[in-house]
Amino acid sequence: MSTISPVRVQGGLDEPLSRWLWLVKWLLAIPHYVVLAFLWIAFAVLSFVAFIAILLTGRYPRSVFEFNVGVLRWSWRVAYYTYGALGTDRYPPFTLAEVPEYPAHLEIAYPEQLSRGLVLVKWWLLAIPHYVVIGIFLGGTWFSATGDRGVSSRPGLISALVLIAAVILLFSGQYPRSLHDLVVGLDRWVLRVAAYAGLMTDQYPPFRLDLGGDEPAGAESPRPAQVWTGGRIVSVVIGAVCVFTSIGLLGVGLAGLVANSAGRDAAGYVRLGTQTYATQGYALASDEISFRGVDAGTGALNSLVGKVRVRVTSSDPSRPVFVGLGPSASVDGYLQGVAFSTVRGVGRTTDNVDQAGGPPTTVPFRAGVWTLQAAGPGTQAVVWTPTDGDWTIVAMNANGSRGVTVTVSLAAKLPALPWIAGGLLALGALLLVIGIVLVAIPVARESRSAVTGT
């Protein structure tokens, strides 16, 4: 005897269907995609609220439950209209509530009690086997494991079946009923897992493909849900966006304070990064560094960055190293016809651009093109106050020989860092408070409405 799932997913094939409308449904559904992007942010925030509530009380707050079920319901209607099923041409309504006359329905029975222990593991550990299965159903984008850092996209089984149905519909005007029932069955599996991972039930999703637009016989419809008002939905969404934004601001602000304290050396410089670069040519050159409207020692940039220190250390301690900074036009003239490599981006050794050529006509410290330069054994450094113009930093062997391998360390004074970090923390804290208030008030009012019926 099969166990009845607390998640009811239905999708009635809405015939007749247009032969061609599916070609533009991606465009017609854009307003829904925009709204759902914000609703899913709210879903994530409220799921965390529910996680804490279940952990402490063993209950999923009813008002939060109804909101999150509404987001899943809205998503299912849009998916059924578009490329999750193509089961109807009726435009989805903009509401979290159940719409009886629409052919796609989703209901989840409210759990009066949930396990406090399961809430810690069911959404990630216990659901892993289902994640593997629905990964096949849904497909997705994966990073290549071949070492070439490629990214590839894999279509899912649902997408492939819906595409087949769309082609058949285009040429015959009919959506095969058996194909529709299979697609809805796959979607039903996905939504059951979504409800379980969303902490809405403790009943483990069955490894069973229930085909057809209707639920298996014997399933009982959950009690009608309390309807969220539009104003409360907007408040929760804005509050959730505030909470997510505040998390980013607080994280960046905290990182700034840590960098200002733990990352600042005795000379007052904040370490920005260290990277080893190598070339078979005669020089390593940076990308062109451009500043406009910056006067030495003044302006907003200098207040923010202050002095910049570039340290260069040769991989061979016995080989003197050279580091120089100069106007890009002058440096380009010196490197004209020289075999060298341009470093594309800080910290990315594989993105160097090699330039063919021969040796330089003179050793670098006698070139006369540098605004700042240093040469000698061990670590060499230049300290620069950014000024107006286009600039290039070059590292070479001091004797101008071929084969350069150096470790470059970049640091800056960053006098405004503590003020910026403090400001980000303050703004993040303010947004966090605003977000919590905007989420808590409608949730509390919705809870009272569920009790009073208003």
Side-chain angles (χ1 to χ4, degrees):
M1 178 178 169
S2 62
T3 303
I4 299 301
S5 172
V7 182
R8 290 173 50 86
V9 179
Q10 295 176 290
L13 185 58
D14 204 9
E15 297 177 309
L17 295 170
S18 168
R19 292 173 181 257
W20 60 268
L21 187 61
W22 63 271
L23 294 169
V24 295
K25 282 184 176 180
W26 64 271
L27 178 62
L28 300 177
I30 286 177
H32 278 285
Y33 294 149
V34 173
V35 175
L36 283 171
F38 290 100
L39 287 176
W40 275 99
I41 293 175
F43 182 97
V45 171
L46 290 180
S47 293
F48 178 76
V49 172
F51 173 86
I52 300 299
I54 297 168
L55 194 61
L56 296 177
T57 69
R59 294 178 62 86
Y60 200 125
R62 182 71 191 230
S63 57
V64 174
F65 181 87
E66 301 298 357
F67 182 93
N68 282 354
V69 170
V71 175
L72 287 176
R73 180 184 295 120
W74 193 324
S75 301
W76 168 230
R77 284 194 296 247
V78 174
Y80 193 71
Y81 171 76
T82 58
Y83 308 104
L86 289 178
T88 182
D89 287 342
R90 281 191 268 180
Y91 199 70
F94 285 84
T95 178
L96 300 177
E98 171 65 12
V99 179
E101 61 272 17
Y102 199 77
H105 308 278
L106 184 145
E107 294 289 348
I108 303 175
Y110 177 71
E112 296 297 337
Q113 196 71 26
L114 291 168
S115 168
R116 300 183 188 184
L118 280 178
V119 76
L120 296 172
V121 294
K122 66 182 182 182
W123 54 274
W124 65 279
L125 180 60
L126 300 183
I128 287 176
H130 276 290
Y131 291 154
V132 174
V133 174
I134 65 174
I136 298 173
F137 292 172
L138 298 177
T141 300
W142 306 84
F143 288 97
S144 172
T146 60
D148 59 0
R149 300 186 304 160
V151 177
S152 57
S153 180
R154 299 287 186 268
L157 178 59
I158 293 176
S159 298
L161 293 175
V162 170
L163 178 60
I164 293 172
V167 173
I168 294 174
L169 179 64
L170 180 65
F171 287 98
S172 71
Q174 297 293 323
Y175 192 137
R177 174 73 63 171
S178 58
L179 188 54
H180 167 267
D181 291 348
L182 175 58
V183 169
V184 174
L186 297 174
D187 286 323
R188 181 177 290 116
W189 191 318
V190 172
L191 288 166
R192 286 172 177 173
V193 175
Y196 182 76
L199 313 179
M200 298 175 181
T201 178
D202 281 345
Q203 183 173 316
Y204 197 72
F207 280 91
R208 184 180 70 237
L209 187 59
D210 291 325
L211 302 179
D214 294 324
E215 282 286 339
E220 295 181 0
S221 179
R223 183 172 66 84
Q226 186 72 21
V227 178
W228 275 68
T229 65
R232 291 173 184 175
I233 294 172
V234 170
S235 179
V236 168
V237 169
I238 294 175
V241 171
C242 288
V243 170
F244 264 76
T245 304
S246 73
I247 292 172
L249 293 175
L250 291 172
V252 174
L254 182 59
L257 288 184
V258 171
N260 184 65
S261 55
R264 195 179 291 274
D265 61 20
Y269 286 91
V270 176
R271 295 183 292 273
L272 301 179
T274 300
Q275 182 66 44
T276 298
Y277 301 95
T279 180
Q280 295 302 312
Y282 295 88
L284 283 162
S286 70
D287 268 334
E288 189 176 90
I289 305 168
S290 298
F291 294 111
R292 294 292 180 266
V294 179
D295 297 325
T298 63
L301 178 65
N302 298 113
S303 298
L304 176 64
V305 177
K307 295 181 178 180
V308 176
R309 184 184 66 196
V310 181
R311 284 178 170 173
V312 176
T313 305
S314 174
S315 62
D316 184 353
S318 65
R319 175 179 289 186
V321 70
F322 168 87
V323 57
L325 180 145
S328 295
S330 301
V331 175
D332 289 345
Y334 172 64
L335 295 177
Q336 182 69 35
V338 175
F340 72 98
S341 297
T342 299
V343 177
R344 299 292 188 186
V346 176
R348 298 188 312 194
T349 59
T350 59
D351 287 346
N352 295 354
V353 177
D354 298 325
Q355 177 67 48
T361 56
T362 182
V363 290
F365 59 86
R366 292 179 180 171
V369 300
W370 315 106
T371 300
L372 298 170
Q373 64 178 24
T379 299
Q380 300 298 310
V382 293
V383 176
W384 176 44
T385 300
T387 56
D388 190 85
D390 301 321
W391 305 90
T392 301
I393 302 172
V394 174
M396 302 176 66
N397 298 322
N399 61 2
S401 60
R402 176 185 287 272
V404 182
T405 303
V406 294
T407 298
V408 179
S409 297
L410 185 65
K413 285 283 189 178
L414 303 181
L417 179 59
W419 296 99
I420 294 174
L424 290 175
L425 286 173
L427 180 57
L430 177 61
L431 282 178
L432 181 60
V433 171
I434 293 173
I436 290 174
V437 170
L438 289 175
V439 170
I441 290 177
V443 167
R445 289 180 177 175
E446 190 68 20
S447 298
R448 289 195 296 269
S449 298
V451 173
T452 63
T454 59

